[in-house]
Amino acid sequence: MRNLTVLDCSTSLAGAYCTRLFATLGAEVIIAEPPGGHPLRGAPPWVTITEDGPVSAAWAYLAANKRSVVAADDATLAPLEARANLVVLSTDGDPDLALARAERIRRANPAAVVTICSGFGLTGPYRAYRSTPLVDWAVGGYLLLTGERQREPLAGAGPWSSYVGGATATLASQAALFRARHRGSGDLLDVSNMEAAAASHQWSITLYTHQGIRKTRWGNRHGEAHHPLALYRCTDGWVVIGAVSRHQWEGLCIATDNVELLIDEALYTPAERFDRMDEIDTLLNPWFAAHSRAEAVQLLQEQRCPAGQVLALDEALRSPQLEARAYWAVPEGMGPDARIPGPPFRIGERTVPTRPAPTLGQHQNEVFA
Amino acid sequence: MSRPDDSGSTVGSDWRAAFDLDGVRVLELTVAWAGPMAGRWLGEFGADVIKIEHPTSRGLAMGSGMAADPSWQRGQLPGPTLRNGIFPDNDPGEHWWNRLGHFNKMNRTKRSLCLDLKAPGGREIFEELVRRSDVVLNNYSPRGVLSLGIDHETLRTINPRIVTVDLSGFGATGPEYDQVSWGPILEGASGLAHATGYAGSGPFKQGLAFPDAVGGLHGTVALLAALWERDVTGEAVHVDASQLETYLQFAGDLCLTTSLTGASPARKGNRAEDLAPQGVYPCRGDDRWLALSVPDDAAWATLVELVGDPALSDADYRSVDGRRAAHDHLDSILAAWTSGQDAHELMARLQDAAIPAGVAMSNEDLVGDPHLTERGFLVTVEQTDARPLTFPGFPVHAAGWQPTVRAAPALGEHNEEILRWLGYDDAAIATLRAAGTVADVPPA
């Protein structure tokens, strides 16, 4: 998205993720920070790189490729608002404040798209509710589906439900930018993490509207209609397999020396396998327990049964696949071992440099010049 | 947006919608979730999305010979034969391939051309469509892309301005490019399933195939960015998107930390480093839970007042460090307090006191939620071969417009109008039907 200027006045993870995507796509992204700095500068996890003390890894990642200016008041930002193609705002508990700011920006710059990211949206009974990443996991409907049925539901290891809101804000803003270019006037967009997550379910909501079934969680099994799409323990860790189609089930049975299962025609129906998953896993578990992760995956993939190792993150960082695709970026100033994800996809031959997250107000002079 | 070689479209005029992508035509060759999701976004932004479906494509993982189960009652898990289809009212009907709940959710606001590219005349139809289109989107494996001849180098010779988006599991290159995968496989490869879990437990995958959703969202971002780039350069653009790589975008902070420390993240359940207490607490009823975060000391003071338990008044708990040190103890007190209360009422009570809290919403909760209802999140559409049905709607609100949401097409519903637009007459269409090149029912 070259030739675009994005002004990021948000303070939320969703807003920061939205504009990070624009930065990786080649847009000029300027973060407007209060004099005390953006709240994400204090967000965990922290890493220590220099004697100056720990810095936020979240900030180092989300603010990479962006520029920073400091603005103590709205008037300071007026020149930037007037030339931005997209302004990203956020709200947490006070939607009217964000709306008033958006309207002021739109009056000054009718061509700009203004996107407001929030936990719950600008309208409706929950509009003034506050969110955190865990609350986003909960109200978007993901939380209840993960974890053991006998225990409390389980969130993922990061604010990924909030990022679903951010990615949704990105694509909505992109589409609105096409419209603004065509019509010469921008739109005001309202993107909430709750709705973004609720719209990004597999078939949970359809399962209720079509059949009245309340979906629940199934541990490391996938649920009502499929098995095995699950994790299994090997000698040196875990693997995940997905025998969904007929030929994948056949491949699984052959690879794991359970060919007698092929005689049972009922098991060719994935949901029948779910209903009989304990019986199946009793046969599969010893085979996995006798193989290493690498051995199991190789034997299964040879039979075209989807399978992969459950890698620890340090192993994923050394993944030959990601290495071969030059996926990792090395942020400047953080040492030779530092890695963050590079662009999420390759668009043609274009490359976007990875500039480190800015210091507070680092680009004040050049931006306002 | 401009479209090359568009010789008098008769099908574009009623596909206009608010985002002015109405000049864009997308050919979608996708299965499962991530690819269809990206195509759906484009359709609801106003593009003309033509889903090119193989006659057997809706039969993925499906059995045959299905009949309605008269003993089934709403709310009951269907028997295994019918369960995969998520049929409305658990009835596959006469045309089960048009009543698949998961397909009809993913493929709204598209047209269907049921075409076998490898059958006689199929390739010619496809190539003519490529000449008249802006984007070809697929989520096949790289091997499938080459087998179908839908790779970028081939298609750019047909249309020098075409945008191609390959949305595969591992990407088009690299030693694992041809590995077959589903979303949970990618969770394993990313390191993020390993990082997820209760303290002291093993790894956990997400309850839904989350990398598909993430891949679909980023595939949409990529597609729109490529269209923008095409408009800048005037040349064809190729996107090579790996769902594994898009999924890892959600964990840049963890990647940076692990790369510098060498230590993968420890599983920490629902806790956070900077918020304490934070957890998911039981409420009244079966499997009812409330997520609760205490963001600062002021919120803690408010919570202490609401709970009214003197055990929370310890001065050590007035700082986040003190609360973190006593997290297990605080959890037990909070769980005792929440367990007798209604989750929705408690969410409202806490939020009114400016404490972030949210019900762990079930699918039933989301469908009946007053907030989502007031915002018009759910949509009811007229389905071919089914009664009007409700689906999750469009999660973006803009002042002054509404998205266009149409039901998913029946298999091959638009065969004839698309073929006529391409110049095929009655006799030619009949020949294509007879050869099995186009169809509107799956083969027996």
Side-chain angles (χ1 to χ4, degrees), chain A:
Chain A
M1 307 289 287
R2 56 175 119 175
N3 307 328
L4 284 177
T5 299
V6 177
L7 180 60
D8 183 355
C9 303
S10 73
T11 56
S12 68
L13 283 162
Y17 190 76
C18 166
T19 57
R20 175 186 153 77
L21 285 174
F22 273 101
T24 64
L25 293 169
E28 179 195 32
V29 178
I30 302 164
I31 316 171
E33 301 192 65
H38 194 288
L40 289 176
R41 288 184 183 273
W46 294 278
V47 289
T48 301
I49 301 152
T50 69
E51 292 175 352
D52 296 339
V55 298
S56 165
W59 172 259
Y61 171 61
L62 291 168
N65 286 322
K66 301 177 184 177
R67 299 201 285 173
S68 167
V69 299
V70 174
D73 51 48
D74 290 348
T76 308
L77 286 176
L80 300 184
E81 292 169 353
R83 71 177 176 88
N85 302 98
L86 168 66
V87 181
V88 178
L89 307 175
S90 64
T91 177
D92 187 28
D94 193 351
D96 293 331
L97 191 67
L99 272 168
R101 186 173 186 183
E103 291 305 336
R104 180 177 54 74
I105 294 167
R106 297 181 75 213
R107 279 195 299 274
N109 181 0
V113 172
V114 180
T115 299
I116 302 179
C117 300
S118 63
F120 293 91
L122 303 176
T123 62
Y126 306 161
R127 64 192 292 267
Y129 280 12
R130 295 168 192 274
S131 73
T132 63
L134 183 63
V135 170
D136 287 339
W137 276 108
V139 298
Y142 293 155
L143 181 68
L144 192 72
L145 304 180
T146 299
E148 293 290 357
R149 182 67 176 85
Q150 298 74 22
R151 293 194 61 174
E152 72 275 21
L154 180 64
W160 310 330
S161 195
S162 316
Y163 286 166
V164 167
T168 302
T170 304
L171 63 89
S173 302
Q174 288 175 288
L177 285 162
F178 278 105
R179 174 174 160 93
R181 189 177 66 179
H182 181 65
R183 294 161 53 104
S185 60
D187 283 308
L188 171 62
L189 305 183
D190 166 11
V191 182
S192 73
N193 296 344
M194 181 185 186
E195 278 176 315
S200 302
H201 276 251
Q202 197 159 12
W203 49 64
S204 321
I205 292 175
T206 310
L207 197 61
Y208 185 77
T209 59
H210 284 40
Q211 299 184 341
I213 295 167
R214 186 180 191 269
K215 188 166 169 54
T216 186
R217 57 195 173 281
W218 297 99
N220 271 320
R221 291 156 163 173
H222 199 64
E224 302 82 4
H226 295 286
H227 193 74
L229 184 52
L231 270 63
Y232 292 89
R233 186 159 215 159
C234 292
T235 56
D236 58 347
W238 298 76
V239 295
V240 54
I241 71 169
V244 173
S245 69
R246 182 186 180 95
H247 73 271
Q248 290 166 352
W249 168 245
E250 290 171 344
L252 172 69
C253 294
I254 293 167
T256 61
D257 299 325
N258 282 301
V259 291
E260 68 276 11
L261 289 173
L262 296 172
I263 299 167
D264 191 339
E265 292 199 6
L267 290 177
Y268 283 97
T269 302
E272 175 77 14
R273 298 199 292 268
F274 177 78
D275 288 350
R276 294 165 61 185
M277 57 189 172
D278 289 339
E279 170 192 342
I280 291 169
D281 286 352
T282 298
L283 295 170
L284 293 181
N285 282 331
W287 185 86
F288 284 103
H291 290 80
S292 69
R293 292 179 300 170
E295 290 167 348
V297 169
Q298 182 183 344
L299 290 167
L300 289 161
Q301 286 277 355
E302 281 174 3
Q303 298 296 330
R304 302 300 287 171
C305 177
Q309 298 188 41
V310 177
L311 299 177
L313 191 54
D314 67 310
E315 295 176 303
L317 283 159
R318 300 192 302 272
S319 154
Q321 173 67 13
L322 297 169
E323 189 74 28
R325 287 171 59 80
Y327 177 63
W328 301 109
V330 182
E332 289 175 26
M334 305 195 84
D337 297 328
R339 296 287 183 277
I340 59 173
F345 32 73
R346 288 158 176 73
I347 296 184
E349 302 301 318
R350 291 203 72 206
T351 57
V352 177
T354 300
R355 297 193 307 270
T359 56
L360 182 62
Q362 180 180 343
H363 304 95
Q364 195 83 5
N365 293 335
E366 68 182 68
V367 167
F368 283 104

Side-chain angles (χ1 to χ4, degrees), chain B residues 42-98:
Chain B
L42 265 290
E44 292 177 358
F45 283 144
D48 175 15
V49 179
I50 299 175
K51 188 172 185 75
I52 298 179
E53 306 183 73
H54 189 273
T56 62
S57 62
R58 296 196 190 184
L60 181 69
M62 291 291 301
S64 59
M66 292 172 292
D69 174 3
S71 67
W72 179 83
Q73 294 184 330
R74 188 168 172 80
Q76 198 178 61
L77 201 61
T81 307
L82 295 182
R83 197 178 307 159
N84 281 5
I86 315 182
F87 298 113
D89 310 316
N90 194 34
D91 182 357
E94 190 178 350
H95 299 150
W96 60 263
W97 51 89
N98 293 334

Side-chain angles (χ1 to χ4, degrees), chain B residues 300-374:
Chain B
W300 171 251
T302 305
L303 182 63
V304 169
E305 203 167 305
L306 283 173
V307 176
D309 188 329
L312 297 179
S313 301
D314 191 315
D316 288 348
Y317 303 156
R318 291 178 194 156
S319 74
V320 67
D321 289 341
R323 296 193 293 275
R324 192 182 296 114
H327 211 305
D328 288 345
H329 178 58
L330 299 181
D331 278 351
S332 66
I333 295 172
L334 289 172
W337 178 65
T338 60
S339 60
Q341 303 195 56
D342 177 83
H344 286 87
E345 290 174 6
L346 192 52
M347 173 173 77
R349 195 171 158 210
L350 287 162
Q351 286 281 3
D352 286 346
I355 298 171
V359 173
M361 298 276 188
S362 68
N363 52 353
E364 179 182 14
D365 292 327
L366 292 169
V367 170
D369 185 78
H371 180 72
L372 295 181
T373 300
E374 184 170 318

Side-chain angles (χ1 to χ4, degrees), chain B residues 187-217:
Chain B
E187 283 187 76
S190 70
L192 303 189
H194 192 277
T196 297
Y198 304 101
S201 81
F204 272 84
K205 72 177 195 64
Q206 293 295 308
L208 39 65
F210 197 36
D212 281 75
V214 177
L217 290 168

Side-chain angles (χ1 to χ4, degrees), chain B residues 235-324:
Chain B
E235 296 176 351
V237 180
H238 175 55
V239 177
D240 169 15
S242 145
Q243 291 176 47
L244 171 61
E245 293 173 11
T246 59
Y247 196 51
L248 274 162
Q249 294 289 314
F250 276 14
D253 52 349
L254 298 179
C255 292
L256 179 58
T257 308
T258 300
S259 68
L260 289 171
T261 64
S264 296
R267 299 177 197 112
K268 58 180 173 41
N270 294 312
R271 292 186 180 175
E273 289 182 55
D274 55 342
L275 311 176
Q278 173 174 279
V280 179
Y281 302 97
C283 292
R284 190 173 66 225
D286 178 34
D287 203 27
R288 306 302 307 192
W289 303 87
L290 185 82
L292 167 64
S293 304
V294 175
D296 52 38
D297 297 342
W300 171 251
T302 305
L303 182 63
V304 169
E305 203 167 305
L306 283 173
V307 176
D309 188 329
L312 297 179
S313 301
D314 191 315
D316 288 348
Y317 303 156
R318 291 178 194 156
S319 74
V320 67
D321 289 341
R323 296 193 293 275
R324 192 182 296 114

